[in-house]
Amino acid sequence: MICSNLEIINGVLHFGGRNTVELASKYGSPIYVMDEQTIRRNCRKYTVAMKKYFGDNAKAFYASKACCFKKIYSIIESEGVCADVVSPGEIYTAKSAGFNMNNVCFHSNSKNDFDINFAMDNGVGCFAVDNIEELEAINAFAGERGIKQKILFRVTPGIDTHTYEAVNTGKVDSKFGFPIETGAAMAITKTALAMDNIDLAGFHCHVGSQLFDSDVFVRSAEIMLQFIADVKAETGYEARELDLGGGYGVRYTENDPEIDIEDNIRQVAEYVKKLCRELNLNEPAIRMEPGRSIVADAGITLYKVGNVKRIDGYKNYVAIDGGMGDNPRYALYESEYTVVAADKADEPCDFLCDLVGRFCESGDIIQPRIKLPETVARGDLVAVLTTGAYNYSMASNYNRIPKLPVVMINGDDDYIAVKGETLEDLIRNDV
Ligand SMILES: *Cc1c(COP(=O)(O)O)cnc(C)c1O
């Protein structure tokens, strides 16, 4: 199995030690199932390794967009993990969960005045600032409150994650952040240093996602530290924090490599230490922002088969009771997933088919060209694995289909972390 929290016992898929058929009969289908223990284990990979190799000031920030609901915040907070947010909705969710808002960093490339004031009113600790308009608004609103707002600048180091090459153009043309290469990052730094109500803590970058080795982090650390050294030489200001972003990958299929997060963090830390010595810099407090690698393998989705359509001489479809409304990732980026016949997990899989959803789009495909048992039939339970990240958080009400519940398991315990939407919920805001 692609993750150690999965096993097959007597032909039934077990997740987090729990029988998926029993979970589906207790909570119905379709449902998201998330394992609290896996989330905690993933958090600890970061907190333990970052403390060990980067020191006590290092902090992991969970990227909320991967999966955001109240319970997630209490779980990660109890593991000593901070949070990144990108909207008033995520701020409100964290605050409602009782999260320490000083440990929250507000991202987004387009924060309007309401967003900025909402974040300040709720005591958000730090802003990752993306553009000059936002900087000016934050300076003004902080002035009205008589505070100095802590910020980081999001800068683009110019790394193309596809080739792992630092290139001059590449991501310089990103919609996010200030490019170093054009001089924009240096210029905005000088502007901020002259502002009365801004406390510039340092710099942030985030170069990619689903990355399987530390190479790209090492390269971005190199560019960022050189930039910090250049800023120090030109202005005398030395950044106290450096955020290297998120992006470590997870296993969606057997073809994805397994990643040793601790060893990767060790490699990045060694490089950061060496470079700081060479550049004569104090080691900045390092921040990382894992999203996917905290929650993806902590989630699976359970569906029931509705029908099996054999179009002889062409192809076969297995249609389920969910689809792109609860998991749009194949439709969006042709993402790969592993699919298991959860109640027939011991049977040979010789039936080639597309796993498709119930939504009114031909593109409503969860995964094409998968193999299920020949006996697959209406009522069978199907599990799609590694759905804990960017599934619930990307869900929609297309076709007025209610959003699924999130069932959390924790050892022998299980509970509803997010209720499924009802039909009444769907018309709540209709007038
Ligand atoms: C999306 C995002 C992350 C998390 O990325 P993952 O691939 O889920 O780890 C971290 N930081 C920023 C700024 C992001 O936009």
Side-chain angles (χ1 to χ4, degrees):
M1 288 268 118
I2 57 172
C3 180
S4 61
N5 58 12
L6 296 160
E7 56 189 333
I8 293 165
I9 303 173
N10 298 328
V12 174
L13 179 71
H14 284 58
F15 175 61
R18 302 295 301 274
N19 180 313
T20 55
V21 173
E22 287 173 7
L23 288 169
S25 58
K26 178 167 176 184
Y27 291 104
S29 97
I31 52 173
Y32 299 112
V33 183
M34 294 195 77
D35 178 30
E36 189 174 324
Q37 295 300 320
T38 304
I39 300 173
R40 290 183 181 279
R41 226 174 15 250
N42 289 338
C43 285
R44 278 172 217 166
K45 285 181 194 163
Y46 282 92
T47 54
V48 170
M50 289 182 73
K51 196 179 165 99
K52 184 166 165 190
Y53 298 111
F54 285 122
D56 288 339
N57 292 331
K59 283 197 179 109
F61 282 70
Y62 166 65
S64 299
K65 69 178 185 210
C67 187
C68 178
F69 50 80
K70 280 167 65 179
K71 187 68 193 175
I72 291 274
Y73 288 103
S74 43
I75 295 172
I76 62 160
E77 185 159 61
S78 71
E79 294 297 336
V81 172
C82 305
D84 275 356
V85 296
V86 294
S87 69
E90 289 182 352
I91 291 170
Y92 186 73
T93 308
K95 175 98 174 180
S96 305
F99 202 82
N100 177 353
M101 299 307 283
N102 199 38
N103 289 334
V104 170
C105 184
F106 187 18
H107 283 260
S108 164
N109 69 308
S110 185
K111 308 172 181 80
N112 67 22
D113 290 353
F114 172 83
D115 300 339
I116 293 168
N117 278 300
F118 187 82
M120 286 184 181
D121 289 343
N122 284 288
V124 164
C126 184
F127 284 65
V129 174
D130 178 277
N131 52 74
I132 176 81
E133 292 90 336
E134 179 190 341
L135 178 69
E136 284 167 350
I138 292 170
N139 188 44
F141 296 140
E144 285 170 13
R145 287 171 171 77
I147 60 167
K148 246 175 138 60
Q149 179 61 55
K150 177 179 167 180
I151 69 159
L152 300 172
F153 277 124
R154 178 165 188 166
V155 308
T156 42
I159 293 193
D160 183 339
T161 54
H162 296 294
T163 59
Y164 287 14
E165 281 300 313
V167 293
N168 285 333
T169 53
K171 289 292 171 182
V172 173
D173 61 2
S174 167
K175 80 165 178 175
F176 295 106
F178 301 92
I180 292 176
E181 189 218 313
T182 64
M186 180 67 81
I188 197 71
T189 300
K190 289 177 183 168
T191 304
L193 291 173
M195 284 177 161
D196 289 334
N197 312 309
I198 295 292
D199 167 26
L200 178 62
F203 301 99
H204 165 277
C205 64
H206 171 72
V207 290
S209 222
Q210 193 62 352
L211 308 170
F212 285 101
D213 63 45
S214 53
D215 194 45
V216 77
F217 290 92
V218 164
R219 282 166 190 261
S220 49
E222 178 174 20
I223 295 167
M224 295 296 286
L225 286 167
Q226 183 61 56
F227 175 65
I228 289 174
D230 291 348
V231 168
K232 186 180 173 188
E234 235 174 272
T235 68
Y237 163 81
E238 186 169 355
R240 24 180 234 278
E241 293 188 19
L242 172 59
D243 192 327
L244 294 174
Y248 276 122
V250 299
R251 299 191 83 200
Y252 288 104
T253 71
E254 299 282 353
N255 298 329
D256 292 322
E258 235 169 301
I259 183 165
D260 182 342
I261 300 246
E262 166 165 4
D263 193 57
N264 273 274
I265 289 175
R266 180 188 61 73
Q267 290 171 35
V268 178
E270 277 175 7
Y271 194 75
V272 165
K273 282 191 198 332
K274 173 173 159 288
L275 224 65
C276 284
R277 275 195 306 274
E278 287 173 15
L279 294 168
N280 200 18
L281 292 173
N282 295 313
E283 271 174 50
I286 299 291
R287 298 160 60 143
M288 296 182 87
E289 304 178 312
R292 187 190 315 269
S293 53
I294 299 291
V295 286
D297 66 1
I300 64 172
T301 311
L302 297 176
Y303 304 98
K304 285 265 167 77
V305 172
N307 63 78
V308 179
K309 183 170 287 179
R310 294 174 163 86
I311 307 176
D312 289 340
Y314 292 89
K315 69 194 290 185
N316 303 311
Y317 291 99
V318 170
I320 50 176
D321 52 3
M324 65 187 288
D326 57 78
N327 181 0
R329 291 189 69 254
Y330 184 82
L332 277 173
Y333 353 84
E334 301 189 355
S335 306
E336 292 191 296
Y337 281 102
T338 299
V339 181
V340 177
D343 54 355
K344 295 178 171 173
D346 272 349
E347 290 188 23
C349 291
D350 296 322
F351 184 62
L352 183 67
C353 58
D354 284 7
L355 189 74
V356 297
R358 64 181 294 180
F359 294 81
C360 301
E361 286 285 331
S362 297
D364 173 24
I365 299 167
I366 293 290
Q367 199 63 195
R369 295 176 300 279
I370 59 161
K371 283 187 169 175
L372 290 173
E374 286 285 356
T375 61
V376 65
R378 182 176 176 86
D380 284 0
L381 192 67
V382 167
V384 178
L385 310 181
T386 328
T387 58
Y390 306 110
N391 273 231
Y392 171 75
S393 62
M394 285 187 157
S396 78
N397 286 122
Y398 182 48
N399 290 166
R400 282 246 148 162
I401 290 172
K403 288 187 190 156
L404 316 188
V406 180
V407 173
M408 191 76 77
I409 55 174
N410 185 17
D412 292 335
D413 192 20
D414 51 79
Y415 59 94
I416 298 260
V418 183
K419 288 184 207 163
E421 283 179 342
T422 62
L423 296 175
E424 186 60 32
D425 288 332
L426 294 174
I427 59 164
R428 193 169 302 284
N429 295 325
D430 295 5
V431 292

